[in-house]
Amino acid sequence: MTIRHPGASWRGALAAALVVTICIGGIGTSGDARAEYADVVINNYSDAAGMRPVIFPHWFHRIRFRCKVCHADLGFQFKAGGNEINMVKIIDGQFCGACHNGDIAWSVENCNLCHSGKPGTPTQVHESTIQKLAIQPQAGGQQ
Amino acid sequence: MNRTLRIPALALAILGCAPFGAAHAQNDKGKAIYDKVCVACHSAGIAGAPKLGDAKAWEPRIKAGIDALYESALKGKAPAMPAKGGATDVPDADIKAAVDYMVAAAKDGAPAAAATAPAGPAAQAAPATPTAPRPAALSFNRLLKPASKRNPPPPEDGIHDPDNDGTHALQPPLQVFESLPRSNAGNRVDWVKALDNNLIGPRWDRTDPAAAPVVMDLNIVREVKGSMPDVVYPHKQHTAWLDCSNCHPQIFIPQKGANQISMAAILLGQKCGVCHGKVAFPVSECRICHSKKKNVMPVKNAQAN
């Protein structure tokens, strides 16, 4: 019933893809990633605008909302940094602003609760499969 | 297939890429400065200076954030820490590298022995004290993340800025997770159980707390060649959280067997890996997906092929 990939080809592809992702992604500035699983750093514009990057905690929000609310109803694509979120959209009630409006959740003037990342931290999902594979060499690299 | 040979090659390739290389060069510089300047006080703990590799002494300081430590090192700290350790001609970046080196030593304890021993004659330093933690090279787990580093509070998680007041207002995950069923990976919370047992009540609608999902109980069995048990994909647990449109048709064509799925794709964040290994339980939990034993009667509520 299943169509299978021809043998070994994916392993090379996987290795190459991982190396590329890791080198470009840069693993962040901390080099010491042990953030909570699924925390998303969003930093398309923040650094350039002199704001700390935004950190979105999935664990906190999924206790309060199903994935469907954000990823179907509010239109968040499944891609860190893939939604071109900015402050105008937020104050107009899109994305984070659909809830952070002083009605469902605390409103936008609490800049530092969202903009809480270390400056320079790149856009990424923390503790993702690819990141976890990449972290091992850090421990091995002490000697 | 030479599967076993690829893994070291991959690890080497990762080690070789720029960010890691840079980190190493940085640390060598830091060690050099430490050995020349800072060792005078920080090796033996002169005047209450926190000793190199002494995790206890460094912990509260590290909590204040790396920027605070840089500040102390560059500008000095009363009563006895002189600006730049007295070496005012050393560039700021090098002093920072020395701080990084000292912070890293406090975190893993490794360079403590290595650094104090060869520095011997230059410093009035005592050899590594008996309380010094064992070198990391001898630690029991070399790669596994210790339990104490799981679910860290935001100011200590490496991505939140501890200098930001908002960071300290955020909720630490463990405060909540302690009351939820635990699992072995990811957030270390069994989210399916937490929902089934009504321990959490995430809304299905942004504003209406009473709205409920239409849960669809349809299992799809995907046969796997080789020794791994077959995969049972359950619609039930997914439709409790997600909308059909989250998967159909963008990730999966809604037709049994119509999608080519492989572990390689999943590891790279495609197919099931769009969520598993990012937000839903991670790929390490093989048996949650590979759950159908082979060569036995089909599981009752699973659809045979």
Side-chain angles (χ1 to χ4, degrees), chain B residues 171-276:
Chain B
Q171 188 171 40
L174 277 181
Q175 193 184 317
V176 180
F177 293 175
E178 249 139 32
S179 59
L180 296 178
R182 305 310 306 266
S183 74
N184 288 326
N187 297 117
R188 299 189 173 263
V189 169
D190 186 333
W191 291 107
V192 171
K193 230 193 229 160
L195 186 63
D196 283 352
N197 297 350
N198 229 357
L199 295 167
I200 56 173
R203 291 186 186 181
W204 179 252
D205 185 86
R206 185 172 56 102
T207 50
D208 176 7
V214 183
V215 172
M216 182 173 93
D217 193 356
L218 167 67
N219 284 347
I220 309 269
V221 178
R222 307 264 319 191
E223 282 174 13
V224 177
K225 274 205 193 119
S227 70
M228 286 298 286
D230 290 343
V231 173
V232 180
Y233 166 80
H235 270 94
K236 188 160 166 263
Q237 290 92 317
H238 289 93
T239 48
W241 288 97
L242 293 148
D243 194 63
C244 316
S245 71
N246 284 133
C247 290
H248 298 309
Q250 251 183 329
I251 308 177
F252 301 108
I253 301 162
Q255 187 192 328
K256 191 169 147 190
N259 302 270
Q260 203 170 306
I261 312 176
S262 71
M263 275 321 288
I266 294 172
L267 284 164
L268 283 174
Q270 297 154 7
K271 308 293 174 187
C272 317
V274 168
C275 300
H276 292 280

Side-chain angles (χ1 to χ4, degrees), chain B residues 43-216:
Chain B
S43 166
I46 306 286
K51 288 190 206 171
L52 185 75
D54 183 349
K56 261 214 201 101
W58 280 97
E59 195 194 46
R61 299 173 189 272
I62 290 172
K63 270 201 190 131
I66 191 73
D67 288 330
L69 295 182
Y70 286 157
E71 177 94 353
S72 303
L74 292 171
K75 305 213 170 122
K77 186 173 183 208
M81 166 72 203
K84 295 190 169 183
T88 43
D89 52 340
V90 175
D92 288 9
D94 292 2
I95 297 290
K96 286 186 180 175
V99 175
D100 290 343
Y101 171 70
M102 292 162 89
V103 167
K107 282 186 181 156
D108 59 29
T116 43
Q124 341 89 303
T129 58
T131 51
R134 206 169 280 149
L138 289 173
S139 68
F140 180 79
N141 285 118
R142 204 167 66 82
L143 299 178
L144 184 70
K145 189 159 69 169
S148 60
K149 289 202 175 168
R150 290 172 192 153
N151 310 116
E156 291 167 32
D157 69 359
I159 57 169
H160 283 89
D161 188 345
D163 294 345
N164 169 35
D165 54 352
T167 299
H168 298 275
L170 299 174
Q171 188 171 40
L174 277 181
Q175 193 184 317
V176 180
F177 293 175
E178 249 139 32
S179 59
L180 296 178
R182 305 310 306 266
S183 74
N184 288 326
N187 297 117
R188 299 189 173 263
V189 169
D190 186 333
W191 291 107
V192 171
K193 230 193 229 160
L195 186 63
D196 283 352
N197 297 350
N198 229 357
L199 295 167
I200 56 173
R203 291 186 186 181
W204 179 252
D205 185 86
R206 185 172 56 102
T207 50
D208 176 7
V214 183
V215 172
M216 182 173 93

Side-chain angles (χ1 to χ4, degrees), chain A residues 29 41-54 115 117-123, chain B residues 161:
Chain A
T29 40
V41 175
I42 311 176
N43 190 2
N44 289 328
Y45 315 109
S46 298
D47 260 347
M51 292 294 289
R52 293 184 174 88
V54 171
H115 291 275
K118 284 190 182 161
T121 312
T123 298
Chain B
D161 188 345

Side-chain angles (χ1 to χ4, degrees), chain A residues 70-82:
Chain A
C70 293
H71 290 291
D73 300 350
L74 299 178
F76 282 99
Q77 299 291 314
F78 287 136
K79 188 168 190 313

Side-chain angles (χ1 to χ4, degrees), chain B residues 20-43:
Chain B
F20 288 101
H24 269 272
Q26 201 62 13
N27 234 357
D28 288 347
K29 183 96 216 160
K31 182 176 184 314
I33 298 292
Y34 171 84
D35 286 344
K36 225 166 66 194
V37 183
C38 328
V39 68
C41 299
H42 284 276
S43 166

